[in-house]
Amino acid sequence: MLLASPRGFCAGVERAVETVERALALHGAPVYVRKQIVHNVHVVRDLEQRGAVFVESEQDAPVGAVLVLSAHGVAPSVHENAQRRSQRTIDATCPLVSKVHAEARSYAAGGFTIALVGHEEHEEVVGTRGEAPEATVVIGSVAAAEAFTPADRAKVAYVTQTTLSMDETAEILAVLRRRFPAIVGPPKDDICYATTNRQNAVKEMLPLIDLLLVVGSGNSSNSNRLVDVALGAGVPAHLIEDAGCIDEAWLDGIETVGLTSGASAPERLVTGVLRWFRERGVEQIERLDGVVEDIEFRLPSELRQPARPAPAAV
Ligand code: SF4
């Protein structure tokens, strides 16, 4: 069995989870969280047990509530709604997503039509699009890039979702650059370091394995892309929430299993999968070397103050 590196939590997810924990320490329960703070069922359940209340919309949280906004970012209209409801927002948007929002605002201000490469329904894309809805067209495939018809072909810009497949995005951007030679975009696409590193780690592992297991939730974009990387290379792969989801039939005729995890999956779930294999007699587990990640993001400014002191004992 081979274990990919890097894997699991990225700096943006670490920051988002800590944001909810610190908000609970500062303000006490309940702390409301708009949408899943990160796309992982286990993380959400843990925080729920500690007093976080997850809601779909700012409209579902009470007037005046403390409301954490998830790592995926929100449209400006969400901030406006929250302000109208006197909610005290704490913005856990990953700084790398905020950077894409800033790019979108800047291109819209410059009069560009923005090709937003990403998945239409994904929360991050909904938030980024919200920066300039009239000027933004979501491009989810090569076919959509071919069909894209901006008002002014000379004024086209692109930005991308942070958690896409590097290969698919490169194909889409190649089509856009061919069709709109004057297109402008960020110096590098917006796919983040964590997505890039985890996909590269899987690519390096693929020649050595017969099956890939990816620990992550079904709505986690970057986890799904890790499965796609394997499937695209002809290696069977499955996304699993945790060890309980492994189907022993998948292992028939398989010699070497590769294991990785998405950027929102806690390491203890990977440990659980390793335990599952050890209990079935797998002794050889090799941890592959990979890029060492040392990125850290500061907590949101609303939280950079000491935690509330614990009540005095009686
Ligand atoms: S996957 Fe990338 S963009 Fe998303 S939270 Fe992690 S570092 Fe930020």
Side-chain angles (χ1 to χ4, degrees):
M1 180 157 201
L2 297 180
L3 191 54
S5 177
R7 63 180 178 279
F9 272 17
C10 61
V13 165
E14 294 266 14
R15 174 181 184 265
V17 173
E18 196 183 340
T19 294
V20 179
E21 291 169 346
R22 291 287 303 244
L24 284 164
L26 263 174
H27 301 285
V31 161
Y32 289 81
V33 184
R34 185 183 181 278
K35 308 271 187 194
Q36 291 191 341
I37 183 71
V38 299
H39 285 158
N40 188 273
V41 170
H42 290 269
V43 171
V44 167
R45 269 193 223 134
D46 283 356
L47 292 171
E48 266 174 346
Q49 279 167 9
R50 294 155 74 175
V53 177
F54 290 84
V55 292
E56 269 308 295
S57 157
E58 61 285 2
Q59 314 283 1
D60 301 329
V63 168
V66 174
L67 180 68
V68 178
L69 305 174
S70 81
H72 309 100
V74 297
S77 57
V78 172
H79 286 285
E80 289 156 19
N81 291 341
Q83 205 171 8
R84 265 196 296 276
R85 295 176 67 73
S86 306
Q87 290 163 339
R88 287 175 286 169
T89 53
I90 302 172
D91 191 352
T93 303
C94 176
L96 301 182
V97 174
S98 299
K99 172 178 135 308
V100 184
H101 281 233
E103 289 164 2
R105 282 196 299 274
S106 159
Y107 291 133
F112 289 86
T113 299
I114 303 165
L116 167 52
V117 181
H119 301 286
E120 181 102 43
E121 305 300 325
H122 192 274
E123 278 155 42
E124 182 186 323
V125 169
V126 171
T128 306
R129 183 186 202 165
E131 291 287 353
E134 307 302 326
T136 305
V137 178
V138 179
I139 306 283
S141 63
V142 165
E146 293 284 7
F148 174 45
T149 48
D152 180 353
R153 298 178 60 86
K155 290 281 279 183
V156 182
Y158 73 84
V159 297
T160 77
Q161 189 181 335
T162 57
T163 50
L164 298 175
S165 149
M166 295 188 296
D167 295 339
E168 196 188 353
T169 304
E171 284 175 33
I172 292 173
L173 293 181
V175 171
L176 292 175
R177 289 194 183 103
R178 170 175 55 74
R179 293 192 59 223
F180 310 104
I183 195 168
V184 296
K188 186 186 150 297
D189 62 48
D190 298 302
I191 297 174
C192 77
Y193 80 96
T195 300
T196 304
N197 289 346
R198 281 151 192 68
Q199 286 180 24
N200 282 337
V202 164
K203 282 182 181 178
E204 280 178 29
M205 181 191 251
L206 287 178
L208 308 172
I209 61 174
D210 310 300
L211 171 76
L212 178 73
L213 297 180
V214 179
V215 180
S217 284
N219 59 346
S220 163
S221 173
N222 80 89
S223 304
N224 277 292
R225 301 297 78 78
L226 295 174
V227 172
D228 290 347
V229 166
L231 295 177
V235 174
H238 300 283
L239 183 65
I240 53 171
E241 196 73 66
D242 51 40
C245 302
I246 302 171
D247 182 343
E248 300 212 27
W250 296 341
L251 305 174
D252 286 349
I254 297 292
E255 203 160 307
T256 307
V257 176
L259 177 62
T260 187
S261 54
S264 43
E267 184 64 12
R268 65 185 161 78
L269 302 179
V270 171
T271 307
V273 172
L274 294 177
R275 192 180 318 119
W276 188 96
F277 277 94
R278 282 201 190 94
E279 284 167 2
R280 285 157 183 80
V282 175
E283 284 165 9
Q284 213 184 335
I285 298 172
E286 188 184 340
R287 289 159 203 269
L288 297 182
D289 289 334
V291 174
V292 176
E293 296 178 339
D294 55 4
I295 293 180
E296 283 180 30
F297 296 129
R298 297 178 76 195
L299 285 172
S301 56
E302 303 91 328
L303 289 173
R304 288 187 222 131
Q305 47 186 300
R308 198 170 62 167
V314 287

